[in-house]
Amino acid sequence: MLKVLTVIACLWVIICQPGIVFGQSISEAGRIDLKENFELCVKKLKGPYSENFCVCKDGSRVAVTGPDGKVIPRPCGEKGQLFCSAFRAPWAEKLGKQGLYLGNLFARDLFLWDSFSDHHNLVRGYILENYFLETHPKHKLAELRAYGGLSGAEFEAAAAPRFFERYVSGPTFDDFKHYLLASELQRRFFVRKDLGQIDKVRILSSRIQSSNPKFKPLRDAIHNQISAQLIPKVEFYRNGLSKGTDKTLYDELITEMRRLTDISEKDIKNQLEEIQDAPLRISLSQQIHQTDTASVESSITQLCSMMARARQVVAARTLNAADSRRLIDLNIISAAVVHNRCNSFLDQNVKMNIQQALELLIALSDAAYGTGLLSSREQDAAKTYLSRLLQSKEIDRVRFYEEFRKADRVVEWALNTVRFVFADTMEKWSSVLPEVQFISDDILRSSPLLIYARVSKKINDHITTTMGINHDFLGEKVGSEVRVLNPGLALGELKINPDQGSYTREQIVALAETPAELEPAAGIITMGEGNMVSHVQLLARSLGIPNIALPPHLFQKLQKASGEKIFFLVSPGGKVSLKRADTVNDKEKAIFSEYMRNKKRKSDGFLETKKSKLPIDRSKLNLKDKTPLDLRHAWRAESGVRYGPKAAFLGELKRLFPDKVSRGIVLPFGIYYEHYQRARVIVPDVLSKQIKIEENESLPRFVERSFNEFFGTLLSSGKTEEELSAWIRPRLQVIQHSLKETPLSPELREALRREFRHQGLFLGHHEEETVGCFVRSDTNVEDLENFNGAGLNLTIFNLKTFREILNCIKEVWASPFSYRSFSWRQTLIDEPLWVLPSIVILESVASEKSGVLISADPRTGDTTKMLLATSEGVGGAVDGSPAETLLWSETGISLLMQFKSPWRRLLKTEGGSVVTASTGNQHVLTPAEIEQLVSATRKISSSIPSARDMWGKERPWDIEFGFQSGKLWLFQVRPFVGNDEINNLVALRELDTIRTTKKNVTLDEVLP
């Protein structure tokens, strides 16, 4: 419920997801168009396919059948044919123009290659369609693949390698962005180019059909495009034949199909022999030759090393297209061999010590890079973290655990890669086929990272068992695959992937892809970590809400608990208990009871003394100041008195770094309050029948009357949250509308014009065009010493005219009355009538990169370290976009997450912003820029007194920054707020106590 005294709820943004949502949302009209054309692809007799045609050698296209419907023999006649196949139907063509390709056939699309505007989306279509068809064989689209004559397997087998080669040699192909696409395309359509073998398979399938007409759908599927995925279907059909039926032809067909599609170790040498570049062929052959006599571990290492080298050569783009394609095929074969060898080795329960396991993980990092799941930067980082652990024969157990967790991020990095490479089209695909979102799990489980996770789990289980650390996940003990984001405690119904607004603050939500904004919920579970310092993530941290990230396979296991009441605990030390409420043990009951007693004590205090976590002291407010103020004259001592903390801290920064903080103007609380007092209630037309007002009612009267009824009567009436929301939402809309529709006073307009003129923020003599400004909300209940309120209210980007700025001032004033802002804020303050917005008008900086720095390790509080999260473009990290995340210390920089987004947001010269392609660089910050940031942070820490937590310890700083042409700009500084209430629970601290009888880890410890 929207009750002040309910358990505090949570906000969370993913990284993209991932990133998938950021920047490229589909318009409503586009979404409707997608769905209409997709429905035609399903409903029409031939789905996304047209009638069949033959393409002749002169490029002409002729029908395969005559007017009578009969097949025309040799339709191209003397001209000769290139291939015969179906084309895309008009509705499938329309989908393709939107970047969603269905009905994919190699021969046809190779012929049409130059007509496609984006070959990367075309390849994404091949991969996503293949994944969906193979995982949903009963779907109409899958059944249509068996439609007779869509294409010939001989045409497809001949065209596929040339299709692959054109893609990998294309002018826009980029290793970082597209290698995984090339690898997945070739893996999913891997067939040997033995046309004689293909013809034999076609003949066998036709012979079976002639004696058994019911085999026709499988015969047609084989004739259209041979794949390994068809073999289980043929086997299933064979096994279902009646007793006594001769199965000889079926067995022969299965054997021949396996010869075409199976991968064996001898294929590595066969593939190497096809490479035309002689020096490369000889070098790689020598490397493979060494594996013949080597131990299993050594041979795996050699294979993985060869895979890394093969990708490096492809990335260098010095080979011809055919050799690049062959090297990718070589890596596909090698990955399968590595997978088989490792599984065989591990299944034999051969005892490994920690050193051997770490060395195997280093090799598998090379293999993951070779398949495209890791970037070269991530490969280097993973190998560095693992190699450090090998440098000492003995290491402190806790330190080993912390260091190993860095290398354990590899699987999550790979998940981000999958999301990154499909981000351009995933929202479109998932809008019509939501199941394709789980392709990430399919790709990871088909890669060497499945073995990496298996070996990593062995190490983690051993270390965590000896330290007394493990997680309880729906009755299953799991280890480091659960990533802790925020400590907290919740009890509520589990909702899986709910639509925005379809859940309540008393429910725990699990989201495969998290939107940029969320309404209140009791707890958050995400698939992948996302951006740990986004505005909403910082807000969640300060509210003390349980928040974890899961890998895809654990996320899918949540489905079995959907709709059930769940106990969700995340301790400050990183232990997780997520279980059905009826299975909670005595210790967890004690923790929950202590937590609720603490909350009740706080609630009772609020009811009796009118004080809560965020008391607003009205006696200190200065509402008489109605003059725009130069940012340079804003002081921390006036925070919450004349203006909000954002202006106060920016004023301090401006004096400390005059060349690193842009020019700005502060509109104090008094200016807003005058506007608010003067406003009359203006009801939007759409609400005129729902909301009744007094005649000529003032806005303050309406707000007081509405809030008194809501907080004084409705909250205690037993109404559901849905009922409370339905009552307050339209009234908040009336408040917002009234603030926006009330004209600004002429005195404010003139005073603001004078200040713009004084600071030189106008361009030209007409005093209409400006240098470009951000209009930022700055209320008296955000950026405080124990709550940051990050991202709850509005910031409007890069306004270029004075008229726009005047209009947007009212927009920003109205933003604290949005339902989202109201519903979060009202659980934390004691005077809802006295939430006051000031405004900071800040000169725009066209940052090429921007982000957030925390002047400590957020997880441990270690002040010798700094966390830097940076994205390309403006609004980096704070808006939930994917971010390069680094942990800095005097001894080095650790990569926690790489920036992986196809997009960035840049400011436009004419005003506003635009989402455009990211640079594709693997690094966002340069070493020189990192040094500037560290130096500025040290100066801030030594010059501005920090807020303190409940134990008197100084809080770290949360600093927003940007870089333009290598120059550092500072946009905000505030205390980095945790949740002292959660950290102070005695029972939780007891849960985090590490119990171990062995202090140090030795590399010769044998893993169970």
Side-chain angles (χ1 to χ4, degrees):
M1 284 184 145
L2 283 170
K3 294 185 178 180
V4 176
L5 308 180
T6 53
V7 176
I8 301 173
C10 161
L11 271 180
W12 163 248
V13 159
I14 154 186
I15 219 105
C16 303
Q17 306 124 341
I20 289 173
V21 175
F22 168 69
Q24 295 290 326
S25 296
I26 312 170
S27 68
E28 187 57 31
R31 195 178 300 275
I32 292 171
D33 196 43
L34 272 174
K35 290 187 175 181
E36 287 178 349
N37 286 303
F38 177 77
E39 286 172 3
L40 288 173
C41 287
V42 174
K43 291 178 180 177
K44 292 288 186 178
L45 178 63
K46 288 195 68 175
Y49 306 100
S50 72
E51 297 303 318
N52 288 25
F53 294 90
C54 281
V55 175
C56 307
K57 290 183 177 179
D58 64 357
S60 61
R61 188 190 308 183
V62 295
V64 172
T65 57
D68 57 0
K70 294 182 179 179
V71 175
I72 302 172
R74 298 180 67 244
C76 284
E78 298 300 321
K79 293 185 290 185
Q81 71 182 25
L82 289 175
F83 67 92
C84 297
S85 80
F87 279 67
R88 288 188 180 87
W91 37 92
E93 289 282 4
K94 289 179 180 178
L95 287 178
K97 284 181 169 46
Q98 288 186 271
L100 194 157
Y101 289 94
L102 283 176
N104 301 299
L105 296 168
F106 286 117
R108 177 202 64 215
D109 288 342
L110 181 66
F111 174 71
L112 298 172
W113 186 265
D114 292 334
S115 69
F116 297 109
S117 60
D118 188 332
H119 295 107
H120 309 300
N121 278 345
L122 177 65
V123 168
R124 292 180 184 107
Y126 271 80
I127 297 168
L128 291 170
E129 181 185 48
N130 173 268
Y131 166 70
F132 179 79
L133 299 184
E134 297 304 334
T135 53
H136 297 80
K138 298 298 183 183
H139 193 276
K140 172 76 176 291
L141 290 176
E143 293 174 346
L144 284 166
R145 295 295 291 192
Y147 197 95
L150 285 182
S151 186
E154 71 277 21
F155 299 130
E156 290 297 281
R162 290 184 288 139
F163 186 101
F164 303 155
E165 290 165 14
R166 291 211 65 173
Y167 180 62
V168 79
S169 63
T172 63
F173 183 86
D174 177 86
D175 172 76
F176 177 52
K177 293 181 177 180
H178 307 125
Y179 183 90
L180 180 62
L181 290 176
S183 179
E184 275 299 301
L185 178 70
Q186 292 183 215
R187 181 179 74 84
R188 290 174 183 276
F189 296 95
F190 181 86
V191 177
R192 291 177 180 82
K193 304 192 310 299
D194 188 336
L195 293 180
Q197 190 83 14
I198 291 170
D199 195 45
K200 187 174 182 179
V201 167
R202 286 165 56 89
I203 291 170
L204 281 169
S205 64
S206 294
R207 287 176 61 190
I208 293 172
Q209 187 213 333
S210 65
S211 61
N212 184 355
K214 292 182 179 179
F215 190 74
K216 184 179 186 302
L218 275 172
R219 176 263 183 200
D220 288 344
I222 291 168
H223 277 232
N224 287 335
Q225 196 174 73
I226 296 171
S227 70
Q229 291 89 346
L230 287 173
I231 295 173
K233 297 177 182 179
V234 177
E235 289 177 324
F236 181 80
Y237 190 93
R238 178 200 60 188
N239 295 339
L241 294 172
S242 59
K243 193 172 182 178
T245 303
D246 186 359
K247 301 179 182 179
T248 304
L249 285 178
Y250 295 90
D251 293 338
E252 188 178 352
L253 174 62
I254 291 166
T255 299
E256 297 303 326
M257 289 178 71
R258 283 205 174 109
R259 286 178 181 172
L260 273 174
T261 59
D262 277 3
I263 293 173
S264 66
E265 297 195 21
K266 68 178 182 180
D267 291 313
I268 295 177
K269 293 180 181 179
N270 294 339
Q271 188 70 20
L272 280 170
E273 290 172 1
E274 294 187 13
I275 295 175
Q276 296 173 0
D277 187 294
L280 177 63
R281 182 179 66 248
I282 294 169
S283 173
L284 293 177
S285 297
Q286 289 174 342
Q287 194 169 349
I288 290 301
H289 181 71
Q290 297 171 14
T291 67
D292 293 339
T293 57
S295 65
V296 174
E297 300 99 310
S298 180
S299 66
I300 290 170
T301 299
Q302 291 289 342
L303 275 175
C304 294
S305 177
M306 185 201 68
M307 291 176 64
R309 171 124 187 261
R311 179 177 173 185
Q312 289 167 353
V313 174
V314 173
R317 310 204 74 180
T318 56
L319 295 178
N320 62 45
D323 271 356
S324 292
R325 186 257 306 163
R326 293 183 184 109
L327 284 180
I328 294 174
D329 267 349
L330 177 65
N331 276 0
I332 292 167
I333 297 168
S334 299
V337 172
V338 166
H339 188 278
N340 292 337
R341 284 190 184 181
C342 285
N343 268 335
S344 177
F345 176 69
L346 294 173
D347 288 344
Q348 293 172 23
N349 292 318
V350 177
K351 294 297 183 183
M352 271 193 305
N353 61 30
I354 289 178
Q355 178 174 336
Q356 292 169 318
L358 290 173
E359 289 170 345
L360 182 54
L361 290 179
I362 289 174
L364 291 169
S365 299
D366 281 339
Y369 167 72
T371 57
L373 285 166
L374 297 182
S375 69
S376 58
R377 184 183 184 190
E378 290 166 332
Q379 175 204 19
D380 290 342
K383 293 173 72 173
T384 297
Y385 300 149
L386 293 165
S387 297
R388 283 179 191 162
L389 295 174
L390 287 168
Q391 290 171 2
S392 303
K393 292 291 184 183
E394 192 169 312
I395 183 173
D396 177 79
R397 196 163 292 267
V398 175
R399 183 173 158 235
F400 183 97
Y401 175 69
E402 293 296 331
E403 287 297 312
F404 187 72
R405 282 165 60 91
K406 294 178 183 176
D408 210 27
R409 290 177 174 268
V410 162
V411 176
E412 193 169 342
W413 292 348
L415 176 63
N416 287 342
T417 300
V418 177
R419 287 171 163 168
F420 171 48
V421 301
F422 288 102
D424 270 322
T425 57
M426 183 55 77
E427 189 180 2
K428 294 171 184 175
W429 274 89
S430 59
S431 70
V432 293
L433 291 172
E435 298 87 347
V436 299
Q437 294 177 83
F438 291 103
I439 192 172
S440 54
D441 192 44
D442 179 77
I443 291 174
L444 264 60
R445 287 181 168 273
S446 304
S447 78
L449 284 179
L450 185 64
I451 307 298
Y452 188 103
R454 188 174 174 185
V455 176
S456 175
K457 188 175 187 302
K458 276 182 171 287
I459 297 176
N460 260 306
D461 288 350
H462 175 67
I463 298 299
T464 55
T465 298
T466 59
M467 294 174 65
I469 298 174
N470 53 57
H471 306 303
D472 191 332
F473 181 82
L474 296 178
E476 178 184 347
K477 295 297 182 185
V478 297
S480 61
E481 60 259 61
V482 175
R483 183 81 62 194
V484 170
L485 302 175
N486 285 322
L489 188 58
L491 184 68
E493 180 190 357
L494 179 64
K495 298 274 284 186
I496 308 289
N497 290 322
D499 292 331
Q500 183 77 321
S502 67
Y503 55 90
T504 72
R505 68 169 57 249
E506 295 175 332
Q507 293 170 325
I508 296 164
V509 296
L511 301 166
E513 293 178 17
T514 313
E517 293 183 353
L518 289 177
E519 291 179 1
I524 289 289
I525 302 165
T526 58
M527 190 167 71
E529 181 171 319
N531 183 346
M532 63 190 296
V533 292
S534 66
H535 272 157
V536 290
Q537 176 61 4
L538 296 179
L539 177 61
R541 176 185 171 88
S542 70
L543 292 175
I545 302 307
N547 189 352
I548 61 173
L550 299 176
H553 71 282
L554 287 184
F555 189 87
Q556 290 192 48
K557 287 185 178 181
L558 284 175
Q559 296 285 348
K560 60 186 180 183
S562 180
E564 296 188 42
K565 194 171 187 179
I566 294 295
F567 174 81
F568 185 19
L569 179 152
V570 182
S571 74
K575 288 189 178 181
V576 175
S577 180
L578 191 148
K579 54 174 61 176
R580 292 174 174 85
D582 58 6
T583 66
V584 172
N585 60 39
D586 290 341
K587 181 180 288 187
E588 290 161 339
K589 289 178 182 176
I591 292 170
F592 189 73
S593 294
E594 182 187 356
Y595 178 68
M596 294 309 294
R597 282 198 303 273
N598 280 5
K599 302 230 18 109
K600 188 172 189 304
R601 282 195 295 269
K602 288 181 176 292
S603 300
D604 291 343
F606 161 67
L607 292 171
E608 294 170 3
T609 65
K610 297 296 182 183
K611 291 184 180 179
S612 68
K613 284 185 177 181
L614 301 178
I616 298 174
D617 189 345
R618 284 185 280 166
S619 66
K620 292 184 177 180
L621 289 173
N622 178 354
L623 301 179
K624 296 180 181 179
D625 187 351
K626 301 174 185 177
T627 304
L629 178 73
D630 189 321
L631 181 63
R632 293 175 298 177
H633 304 312
W635 297 88
R636 187 176 181 181
E638 299 285 351
S639 175
V641 178
R642 297 173 65 197
Y643 32 74
K646 189 182 279 109
F649 278 118
L650 269 173
E652 301 285 350
L653 280 184
K654 182 68 174 174
R655 288 185 291 278
L656 196 58
F657 302 97
D659 64 330
K660 290 181 171 60
V661 177
S662 57
R663 295 173 290 183
I665 300 169
V666 179
L667 303 186
F669 297 141
I671 295 178
Y672 161 77
Y673 193 68
E674 186 277 333
H675 181 85
Y676 170 72
Q677 289 290 323
R678 186 164 45 83
R680 318 311 288 178
V681 179
I682 305 172
V683 179
D685 291 342
V686 294
L687 297 176
S688 59
K689 294 182 180 179
Q690 186 176 353
I691 302 297
K692 302 303 179 185
I693 64 173
E694 299 170 0
E695 185 177 351
N696 197 30
E697 185 173 13
S698 71
L699 183 57
R701 166 64 183 157
F702 177 81
V703 173
E704 183 174 5
R705 186 164 59 83
S706 299
F707 282 13
N708 283 345
E709 184 169 355
F710 183 78
F711 291 101
T713 304
L714 296 179
L715 281 179
S716 59
S717 66
K719 290 186 178 296
T720 65
E721 181 172 349
E722 289 82 0
E723 290 171 325
L724 291 170
S725 173
W727 192 91
I728 195 63
R729 277 181 189 267
R731 285 157 180 82
L732 292 172
Q733 292 172 20
V734 169
I735 297 170
Q736 288 189 295
H737 186 70
S738 302
L739 287 170
K740 294 174 187 178
E741 292 298 311
T742 300
L744 296 178
S745 70
E747 294 80 9
L748 173 58
R749 291 169 178 267
E750 185 52 39
L752 193 55
R753 186 179 294 277
R754 283 197 304 269
E755 190 59 36
F756 263 71
R757 187 185 307 130
H758 174 70
Q759 293 199 34
L761 297 175
F762 282 123
L763 292 177
H765 301 295
H766 298 293
E767 296 191 348
E768 176 55 29
E769 186 180 359
T770 74
V771 295
C773 294
F774 281 41
V775 180
R776 307 180 67 180
S777 173
D778 185 22
T779 72
N780 56 339
V781 288
E782 59 185 278
D783 295 349
L784 303 177
E785 294 186 358
N786 59 344
F787 176 70
N788 59 33
L792 284 183
N793 303 314
L794 188 62
T795 290
I796 301 180
F797 277 39
N798 197 31
L799 301 169
K800 294 293 286 189
T801 71
F802 192 61
R803 183 188 301 274
E804 289 175 328
I805 290 169
L806 293 176
N807 288 334
C808 288
I809 286 171
K810 295 186 290 182
E811 293 278 345
V812 172
W813 275 341
S815 66
F817 296 98
S818 70
Y819 176 75
R820 174 176 170 267
S821 179
F822 173 88
S823 58
W824 283 109
R825 186 181 64 236
Q826 298 320 121
T827 63
L828 298 167
I829 63 172
D830 64 348
E831 292 278 10
L833 283 171
W834 288 95
V835 174
L836 300 171
S838 63
I839 282 178
V840 179
I841 301 173
L842 204 62
E843 181 181 5
S844 299
V845 176
S847 305
E848 292 110 17
K849 54 192 79 171
S850 56
V852 173
L853 181 147
I854 308 299
S855 63
D857 182 340
R859 204 177 64 80
T860 66
D862 185 350
T863 55
T864 66
K865 299 177 179 179
M866 301 181 192
L867 185 96
L868 294 77
T870 319
S871 301
E872 293 184 358
V874 297
V878 298
D879 64 357
S881 60
E884 173 188 80
T885 308
L886 310 174
L887 190 63
W888 177 95
S889 72
E890 291 281 6
T891 57
I893 298 174
S894 298
L895 175 69
L896 303 184
M897 197 75 70
Q898 188 168 345
F899 173 71
K900 291 180 182 175
S901 173
W903 312 295
R904 55 181 173 158
R905 185 180 297 278
L906 298 177
L907 299 188
K908 296 192 294 185
T909 305
E910 65 273 23
S913 62
V914 62
V915 174
T916 187
S918 58
T919 66
N921 294 333
Q922 289 204 46
H923 293 258
V924 179
L925 291 177
T926 66
E929 289 167 342
I930 292 173
E931 183 53 40
Q932 286 186 67
L933 270 171
V934 170
S935 176
T937 301
R938 285 172 168 162
K939 188 172 181 179
I940 290 170
S941 297
S942 63
S943 303
I944 304 177
S946 177
R948 294 181 180 272
D949 62 22
M950 64 185 298
W951 299 281
K953 184 180 177 181
E954 287 190 348
R955 295 193 188 276
W957 289 110
D958 166 358
I959 302 166
E960 292 181 18
F961 62 86
F963 281 95
Q964 183 183 32
S965 301
K967 178 187 175 181
L968 172 64
W969 289 89
L970 300 172
F971 303 132
Q972 188 166 332
V973 63
R974 58 188 170 196
F976 181 65
V977 180
N979 187 270
D980 299 340
E981 181 179 294
I982 289 292
N983 292 325
N984 199 37
L985 285 179
V986 175
L988 274 185
R989 292 205 305 273
E990 172 67 16
L991 190 67
D992 284 331
T993 302
I994 293 176
R995 300 175 179 86
T996 178
T997 55
K998 294 184 67 177
K999 182 178 180 181
N1000 293 334
V1001 173
T1002 58
L1003 294 180
D1004 59 2
E1005 286 183 33
V1006 177
L1007 299 173

